[in-house]
């Protein structure tokens, strides 16, 4: 604080005192104006600074939003650049190369009764719960095949232990095994399912294979001549196993994985070629040459995910594939279904079509081994 000292001379001169008082008031007024001007300047500067700060904040917010938008756009672009079909096909081709898709009832029984429990596989019945309750292989847990890709079930399955799955006749067991293989598990399927294990009709739970109807075959070879655009997959995943899981979850609920020989023959002989499926034999070329279903092309099952061959398969037409007994045909059908094709496997393969053993190319199913089953239920940990 500053103090103003004003000297007032002594005397009785009234004019002098009045003049001095006037000067004093004038000085006070000037000082007040200066003070007010100073306050006014501070307010203006504060307002300008505040406005500038607000503008800077808004600019920073806009920049941050722009960066977020750019990041989201880059993520979207990266996802769009992933060719899921190609990624999945390459991944499946690698998985198929060394896979053994089936195990015989004799081999499984020998494993389970060798006195060494350390090498026992985890056994999964993929049959209906009520059929599982009638009887199942000792120690087996129950996961119906349509639920095999359920995240809760997958989380409980070991990645470091072999899994053996089985069904009724080998087909839906092969669906489940092929899917688990594509998810990254060490798995195989019991050949012929419970039909090959038990001779108890109630435990088998379905009509076993008896004999082929004896439909005709041909030896004329057919080549892949077309060039088709592949199906478009859009799961949002970028890794092979993740795409396979997402695809399985998309189609398992409604897919019919097999067609009977009778239904296929009726289709092919109904006089309407417009509804004929594209037929693929997934057998060895030398066996294909001995005899195949009329019009069938040949793609061995281990090559079914080869994109150079897939280019010759229509993505807008129903497909039926087949093998020897139904198992590797089911592998082929699952692979094609994962890749987005409309496909079914012919049940029991050539064994269910032809009664010519040379054309069948393998020993057909004859009878069950008659191994024991149990009714005690088991659950995954």
């Amino acid at each position: 604080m500053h103090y103003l000292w004003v000297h007032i001379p002594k005397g009785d001169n009234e004019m002098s005192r009045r003049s001095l008082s006037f000067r004093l008031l004038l000085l006070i007024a000037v000082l007040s104006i200066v003070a007010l001007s100073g306050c006014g300047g501070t307010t203006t500067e504060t307002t300008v600074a505040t406005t500038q700060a607000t503008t800077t904040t808004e600019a920073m917010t806009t920049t941050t939003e722009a960066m977020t938008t750019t990041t989201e756009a880059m993520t979207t672009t990266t996802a769009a650049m992933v060719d899921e079909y190609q990624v999945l096909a390459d991944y499946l081709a690698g998985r198929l190369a060394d896979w053994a898709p089936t195990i015989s009832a004799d081999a499984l029984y020998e494993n389970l009764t060798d006195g060494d429990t350390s090498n026992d596989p985890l056994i999964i019945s993929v049959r209906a719960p009520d059929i599982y309750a009638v009887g199942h292989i000792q120690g087996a847990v129950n996961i119906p095949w349509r639920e095999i890709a359920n995240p809760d079930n997958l989380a409980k399955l070991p990645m470091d232990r072999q899994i053996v799955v089985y069904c009724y006749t080998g087909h839906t067991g092969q669906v489940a095994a092929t899917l688990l293989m594509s998810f990254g598990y060490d798995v195989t399927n019991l050949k012929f399912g419970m039909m090959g294990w038990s001779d108890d009709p109630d435990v088998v739970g379905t009509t076993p294979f008896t004999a082929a109807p004896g439909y005709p075959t041909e030896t004329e070879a057919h080549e892949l001549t077309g060039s088709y655009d592949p199906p478009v997959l859009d799961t949002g995943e970028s890794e092979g196993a993740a795409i396979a899981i997402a695809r399985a979850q998309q189609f398992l609920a409604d897919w019919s994985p097999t067609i009977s020989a009778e239904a296929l023959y009726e289709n092919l002989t109904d006089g309407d070629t417009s509804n004929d499926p594209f037929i693929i034999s997934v057998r060895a070329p030398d066996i294909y040459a001995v005899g195949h279903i009329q019009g069938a092309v040949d793609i061995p099952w281990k090559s079914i995910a080869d994109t150079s061959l897939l280019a010759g398969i229509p993505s807008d037409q129903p497909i039926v594939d087949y093998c020897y007994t139904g198992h590797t045909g089911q592998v082929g059908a699952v692979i094609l279904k994962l890749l987005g094709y409309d496909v079914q496997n012919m049940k029991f393969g050539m064994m269910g079509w032809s009664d010519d053993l040379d054309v069948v190319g393998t020993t057909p199913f004859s009878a069950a081994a008659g191994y024991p089953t149990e009714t005690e239920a088991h659950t995954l940990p």
Side-chain angles (χ1 to χ4, degrees), residues 173-221:
Q174 199 66 66
V175 171
T178 307
L179 288 175
L180 289 176
M181 176 276 295
S182 74
F183 302 163
Y185 293 90
D186 176 11
V187 60
T188 192
N189 175 47
L190 177 65
K191 190 171 185 178
F192 297 127
M194 188 56 84
M195 177 181 78
W197 183 274
S198 175
D199 54 8
D200 183 335
D202 292 332
V203 172
V204 174
T206 192
T207 303
F209 173 81
T210 52
Y215 295 135
T217 58
E218 66 170 0
T219 57
E220 179 184 355

Side-chain angles (χ1 to χ4, degrees), residues 243-332:
I243 297 172
I245 292 172
R247 281 289 299 135
Q249 292 169 348
Q250 289 174 350
F251 68 71
L252 271 177
D254 302 315
W255 186 38
S256 297
T258 62
I259 182 173
S260 69
E262 290 78 9
L264 178 59
Y265 182 73
E266 181 179 348
N267 180 311
L268 296 176
T269 58
D270 65 0
D272 180 7
T273 58
S274 67
N275 66 3
D276 287 357
F278 187 85
I279 303 178
I280 303 174
S281 163
V282 298
R283 310 198 297 165
D286 59 325
I287 301 299
Y288 170 82
V290 174
H292 49 263
I293 296 175
Q294 185 174 358
V297 300
D298 188 51
I299 304 176
W301 68 274
K302 282 186 180 286
S303 301
I304 199 65
D306 183 334
T307 52
S308 66
L309 300 175
L310 289 171
I313 299 177
S315 56
D316 59 352
Q317 181 181 352
I319 298 167
V320 172
D321 79 341
Y322 70 90
C323 62
Y324 304 87
T325 60
H327 298 84
T328 53
Q330 199 66 70
V331 173

